[in-house]
Amino acid sequence: MGLTKQYLRYVSSAVFGVIGSQKANIAYVTLRGGERGRYVAVAACEHVFIWDVRKGEKVLILQGLKHEVTFICASPDGVHVAVGYEDGAVRIFSLISRESNVSFNGHKSAVSVMNFDNLGARLVTGSKDTDVIVWDMINECGLYRLRGHKDAVTQALFLSDRNLLITCSKDSFVKWWDLDTQHCFKTLVGHRSEVWGLVLLNQERRLLTGSADSELRAWDVDFLQEEKAAGEPKVKKGKTLLDDEDDEAENVEDDDEERILRCKKVGSILREARDRVVSLTTDAKARILVCHGNDSVMEVFTVLSDDELQKKRSKKLKKSLNVGFVEMTLKDEIVRLTNIKASGKIRSVDCLSCAGAELKVALLLQNNTVETYSLKSSEQKPTANKTARLTLGGHRTDVRTLSFSSDNMAVLSASGDTVKVWNRSTLQVVRTMACEYALCSLFVPGDRQIVLGTKSGKLQIFELASGSLLETVEAHSGAVWSLCLSPDQRGLITGSADKTVKFWEFELAKDQGSAQKRLTMKHTRTLQLEEDVLCVRFSPDHRLLAASLLDCTVKVFYTDTLKFFLSLYGHKLPVLCLDISHDSTIIATGSADRNVKIWGLDFGDCHRSMFAHDDSVMYLQFVPKTHLFFTAGKDKKIKQWDADKFELIQTLEGHHREVWCLSVSPNGDHLVTASHDKSLRLWERTREPIILEEEREMEREAEFEESMAKEEMPVVSPAERIMEALEIFKEENRKLEEHRYACGHEGKQVKLRLLSVCINTTEGVVVYFLVLSELEVSLLVLPFPYVPELLKLFNTYIQQGLEVELICRCLFFLLKIHFGQISSNQMLLSVINELRTNTLHKVQEIRDLMGFNKAALQFLQREIESKEDVMFFAEATGRLQEKKRRRRKRERAILTIA
């Protein structure tokens, strides 16, 4: 029997180089013991990074699974963070335990907006699938799904003291929802294009919407039920009604929307930007309004309170020549504070009001940068001061070239403006140097210098110790697409768009007036070709030179004489990448036609052509001292192949955009890749062997699960987990019975150990329910043969007092759907009788406990009220606000009469 080749698995080790992904927003968070406004949460592909903006450090990573993060929302108590993903899932992370124990699955596509209510007990999510779902955070389940929008939902807000919800969408509509009846009772149709954001101002009596034009439209919101109950005076245009309730009743129509509220457009505010609104947000008290478009300017407004507006009206009244009436406009209520000019185009913004009337603003820019500003909102013309800028941990533009050092410890990445050297073990930036648009790179032998090939045709030599540019060589008249170090390590070759391949040798030269020598390069030979050169490689034995050309062929020449040796033709589109194996026998080429071809270097024969990626193959490199090679494609995947057996070994998935380049470490233990999603990913070779048959089976299972998910069958897996837990419980019970009569010390130990396992298993069944948001649907698909065992378990749980409320909820649902089978089963009558007795007893105990606690709290409330001689909590505040509101309405009525 022949030997089987063993392959080792590569797994994702780390994600770095990304500061903030562009698909999601930025949000202020509060960590335990930290000050407000110090930490911001941003998306980093499938993870969430929390940055300390003062130190410029990453302090926490909330680990994602597979799909990209699309929205982040912090809870009002600052303990939890809700994260929405591209597949429609929502996960709730705890900033204390740094784990996610709750997940909601209700949307079919990416989550576009999320918001908590004031107490943090409910969460509303909107998605690109046009649905709005309200979730119960306490019971960890969905409450209801609201359908009515025809396009992606862009904003959803709870009202603080009413059970109402307001949403807006790209279908140009703003909808008001009554959450008591779960229906839309009013739709605003005053927009001609998409509505991208909305906020509530002035104690939720003013609605402001942002659309695709330069206007912020303002709407007055009147809650008619409240006014009718209060019996307050109404002021109409050209008519004053102080005590005439009959006229007020005539204006209330019989339809739903007029019974709840009236919403009327009162004007608009012009923004300085001419494009659409991207973000429209306020601080927690809705006193500061911030908005921005697709440019780099953010506009800050302040919203005057009723008292401030009254003072402003009084001042205008004194200055006015026409004594008796002063008209207050929308510009008087919403005043422009300042504009903040960021260093790049703004993707998202969040603001936070702090002590001393200080406003902190965090900006996520489109060039992978986070900036924070601070300004005093109490000043007449405040100036924004930049307090932090996070740029060190990533590139501003896409990384186009990667390279490993010879000792496997340093990674070089270069983009359109900077080149960075990273420590592979700590993933920290060692050096950052400004450069031109880099297309290729390598470490000079000794790892003290690096060489970059640029889009302008230059070669730039940098010294790592000082981080300085040693020399810029005018190498080519076109872009330098490829660099390759010679096998003797004395020089390199460059391939360019000017149709030449040039040979260079390393030299040490002295500058005038300096005793130290520096590295330079001397041009020795030139190979002229007929087409643009896209990639060049030496064979490791230094005998041959391969160059891929724009005419879809690969030309092979002898290195010493530059005589033509072979022409490899067969690709239908240009060959973008190639590499030669360590023994100089095989050359692999990757093309824009999505194929990889493996050729022999002896005669130029094509050994195999393989369909490699669903888009262009961008990079290809052999693992040192093997015939295994990696390819990177624009289909977001990295694949490993065997050039001898012509088989796909494994597929590395993780990037969310096109993969531009990769680099394999000299020892083959690490792989680093760069993508259009601004992230660099480090992959590590493990000791786990790969069995190709199992790998193909896993791929088929993944495809099947994905197809099942598209067919809306998300509850099969939770129901199967419940069944599995019950089977384990029965098995452990059987083992416990077998050892029940075991004698001696050893038998007792076995019995105790099995009892412990059994208890842990039964608690595991409860845990499955606790983390399951689709509880009723999972119980609905649970086969009936498992129900009797589950009822017996419920009886045990209730006797022990474990999760009584949750168990009762499951019990009543099972009795409702299986009533006929349970009532006709004589074996279950005793179980049902015990359940009835135990459930009533335990529920009564909980009711007595809650009643006792409520009576104690009421007693404490009366004691405090008698001592302080004031009404407690909300009653005093509510009455004070009621008096102020009545006084203001009387003043308005008197001014109108005057």
Side-chain angles (χ1 to χ4, degrees), residues 369-396:
T369 304
V370 171
E371 292 182 349
T372 59
Y373 293 84
S374 175
L375 57 91
K376 292 287 185 179
S377 58
S378 59
E379 299 176 359
Q380 291 291 333
K381 293 184 178 180
T383 57
N385 301 316
K386 185 184 293 185
T387 55
R389 186 167 186 257
L390 304 180
T391 59
L392 187 63
H395 290 272
R396 310 284 75 72

Side-chain angles (χ1 to χ4, degrees), residues 96 174 230 273 334 365 379 386 421 445 498 501 687 744 761 810 828:
I96 298 175
V174 177
I334 302 175
L365 307 185
E379 299 176 359
K386 185 184 293 185
V421 179
D498 63 1
V501 175
R687 300 298 99 186
T761 307
C810 300
L828 291 178

Side-chain angles (χ1 to χ4, degrees), residues 561-797:
T561 61
L562 298 185
K563 286 184 178 180
F564 176 76
F565 174 50
L566 292 172
S567 179
L568 311 179
Y569 57 90
H571 284 290
K572 298 177 182 178
L573 290 174
V575 176
L576 303 179
C577 51
L578 61 89
D579 199 13
I580 301 175
S581 62
H582 69 286
D583 53 5
S584 303
T585 59
I586 295 176
I587 179 172
T589 58
S591 168
D593 63 7
R594 303 176 291 180
N595 291 319
V596 168
K597 292 182 184 291
I598 300 173
W599 317 74
L601 270 180
D602 294 333
F603 307 103
D605 54 323
C606 181
H607 292 175
R608 185 64 62 94
S609 179
M610 299 178 293
F611 183 79
H613 291 270
D614 295 329
D615 210 329
S616 301
V617 182
M618 299 302 298
Y619 209 88
L620 184 150
Q621 187 177 353
F622 275 96
V623 178
K625 299 180 182 180
T626 68
H627 280 187
L628 309 180
F629 64 91
F630 283 97
T631 59
K634 292 177 74 174
D635 61 353
K636 314 173 190 176
K637 297 177 182 177
I638 301 102
K639 296 185 178 182
Q640 188 184 22
W641 306 83
D642 187 342
D644 292 331
K645 295 188 175 182
F646 317 117
E647 288 183 324
L648 172 65
I649 300 172
Q650 61 180 325
T651 301
L652 305 179
E653 296 184 1
H655 284 294
H656 302 280
R657 297 291 183 277
E658 300 92 334
V659 183
W660 296 127
C661 54
L662 61 85
S663 180
V664 184
S665 63
N667 60 7
D669 286 340
H670 296 90
L671 170 74
V672 63
T673 57
S675 169
H676 184 48
D677 59 14
K678 298 291 193 302
S679 71
L680 303 176
R681 289 180 182 263
L682 184 66
W683 310 83
E684 186 175 354
R685 184 164 60 186
T686 63
R687 300 298 99 186
E688 177 189 354
I690 294 179
I691 301 174
L692 296 183
E693 290 78 8
E694 291 183 359
E695 200 73 11
R696 301 294 88 80
E697 182 66 26
M698 290 171 60
E699 290 177 2
R700 286 192 291 269
E701 288 181 1
E703 291 178 2
F704 175 74
E705 290 177 1
E706 187 175 352
S707 63
M708 294 290 286
K710 291 180 180 178
E711 294 175 4
E712 299 183 356
M713 296 183 64
V715 295
V716 174
S717 181
E720 288 179 350
R721 289 204 301 269
I722 298 173
M723 294 159 56
E724 182 183 357
L726 288 171
E727 292 289 348
I728 295 174
F729 170 70
K730 290 185 341 187
E731 179 66 21
E732 297 298 332
N733 260 344
R734 185 185 62 80
K735 292 180 181 179
L736 185 63
E737 289 295 330
E738 289 178 358
H739 294 81
R740 182 176 297 277
Y741 301 104
C743 58
H745 179 71
E746 183 179 354
K748 293 179 181 179
Q749 294 296 324
V750 171
K751 179 179 177 181
L752 290 174
R753 185 167 65 250
L754 287 172
L755 182 62
S756 172
V757 172
C758 189
I759 292 173
N760 290 335
T761 307
T762 58
E763 290 179 353
V765 180
V766 180
V767 171
Y768 280 129
F769 284 131
L770 287 174
V771 299
L772 188 61
S773 58
E774 302 93 351
L775 174 62
E776 294 183 352
V777 186
S778 300
L779 292 175
L780 190 64
V781 300
L782 187 69
F784 181 75
Y786 290 92
V787 173
E789 195 68 34
L790 203 56
L791 293 178
K792 295 175 183 177
L793 278 175
F794 286 170
N795 190 22
T796 306
Y797 295 155

